[in-house]
């Protein structure tokens, strides 16, 4: 799965449009004069060198990401402290631009409420002030479609203990990778303070197909062992089954442990096959895992508060709607083509139309 966003697949040009199909490279080269073909091969060698330079470019981009991650981290640490209630932001830190009309309306409502309360002169039990921002990460997980499908009801009490998610990039000289760290407060479910997921990446052209290189791609991932408390492992469930002895006819009950749907299966991923041979389900699960890891890195962690408030979700939905509208237009065009074909079979329209009419 390509971890580099923004690079679409490039369609092969179709000079001449022969048979309405793209012209394959072998065919193109076969019709070229020998001298021209020789020069094309020289261009391919140049193109291969470009691919290797591009790979070096992405290695430097990775280093730049690592450098700026260190600059972001103090801000993310402060975010964690506010979310967990470790610190209370100052009035100045809480200032945020809002519409002046809304501010004035809110101020009037506050004044009116204060007047009513003074008039009643009743003691009102103050509302309990929650610590930090309760269920911050759980709210995000349940709001994002890609993650909500993973979260089961029995996962929610555990995810309430999630304090922070961090992204760590591989050190210089190490194979390219990034690690997702899920930091938990002490809880009654497992002993781990941090659960990790490592995504291994590759940023070099394939020797057999250098022209397919389009930037770094995730090639494998590795989870971690969760040290569950006894009876608290939500990734498995115990089922009971009755067995009858064929000879004696006695019945016994046996218990069996089977896999259970859970977000925490995320830390026990499908492993990529070294030889590339995988069944269709495994390939799909691995590709989905890569997509989720990339989404955590690029969207969830850097823009967490906007996913908590739903603002980032609105941006994502707008993009999806825009793509959907384009698809609808194509479908409408196809329907129009069908109408034209049906029209051609109408006996009343068998007479050819003047050229000017056809253009209208």
């Amino acid at each position: 799965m390509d971890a580099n966003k923004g690079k679409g697949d490039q369609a092969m040009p179709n000079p001449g449009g022969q048979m309405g199909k793209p012209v394959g490279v072998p065919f193109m080269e076969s019709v070229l004069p020998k001298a021209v073909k020789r020069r094309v091969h020289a261009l391919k060698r140049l193109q291969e060198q470009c691919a290797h330079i591009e790979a070096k470019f992405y290695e430097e981009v990775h280093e730049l990401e690592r450098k700026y991650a260190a600059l972001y981290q103090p801000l993310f640490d402060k975010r964690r402290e506010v979310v967990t209630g470790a610190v209370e932001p100052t009035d100045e830190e809480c200032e945020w631009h809002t519409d002046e009309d809304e501010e004035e309306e809110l101020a009037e409502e506050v004044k009116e409420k204060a007047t009513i309360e003074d008039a009643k002169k009743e003691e009102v039990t103050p509302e309990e002030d929650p610590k930090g921002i309760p269920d911050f990460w759980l709210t995000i997980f349940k709001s994002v479609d890609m993650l909500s499908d993973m979260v089961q009801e029995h996962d929610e009490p555990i995810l309430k203990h999630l304090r922070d998610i961090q992204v760590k990039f591989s050190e210089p000289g190490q194979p390219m990778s990034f690690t997702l760290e899920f930091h938990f407060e002490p809880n009654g479910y497992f002993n781990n303070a941090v659960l990790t997921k490592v995504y291994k990446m590759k940023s070099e052209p394939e020797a057999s197909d250098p022209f397919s290189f389009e930037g770094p791609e995730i090639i494998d991932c590795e989870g971690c062992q969760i040290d569950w408390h006894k009876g608290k492992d939500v990734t498995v469930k115990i089922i009971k089954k009755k067995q009858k002895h064929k000879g004696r006819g006695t019945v016994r009950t046996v218990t069996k442990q089977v896999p259970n749907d859970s977000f925490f299966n995320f830390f026990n991923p499908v492993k990529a096959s070294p030889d590339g041979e995988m069944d269709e389900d495994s390939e799909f699960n691995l590709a989905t895992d890569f997509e989720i890891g990339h989404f955590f890195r690029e969207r969830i962690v850097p823009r967490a508060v906007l996913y908590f408030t739903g603002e980032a979700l609105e941006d994502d939905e707008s993009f999806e709607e825009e793509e959907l509208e384009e698809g609808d237009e194509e479908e409408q065009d196809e329907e129009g083509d069908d109408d034209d074909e049906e029209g051609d079979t109408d006996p009343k329209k068998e007479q050819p139309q003047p050229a000017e009419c056809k253009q209208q």
Side-chain angles (χ1 to χ4, degrees), residues 46-80:
L46 294 175
Q47 189 64 43
E48 183 177 14
Q49 293 174 42
C50 288
H52 286 283
I53 292 175
E54 188 178 9
K56 293 295 183 183
F57 165 77
Y58 283 114
E59 288 178 8
E60 293 195 23
V61 169
H62 185 74
E63 289 303 308
L64 200 60
E65 285 183 306
R66 196 175 61 82
K67 172 186 173 182
Y68 275 87
L71 300 179
Y72 287 128
Q73 196 55 50
L75 302 178
F76 293 157
D77 289 342
K78 185 65 176 289
R79 178 179 70 185
R80 181 191 66 246

Side-chain angles (χ1 to χ4, degrees), residues 14 76 94 110 171 200 214 219 225 262 288 296 315 323 339:
N14 182 15
F76 293 157
C94 292
V110 171
E171 295 296 324
K200 301 175 183 180
E214 292 188 344
I219 56 173
Q225 185 72 34
S262 169
T288 301
F296 267 117
D315 293 340
E323 285 196 338
D339 292 341

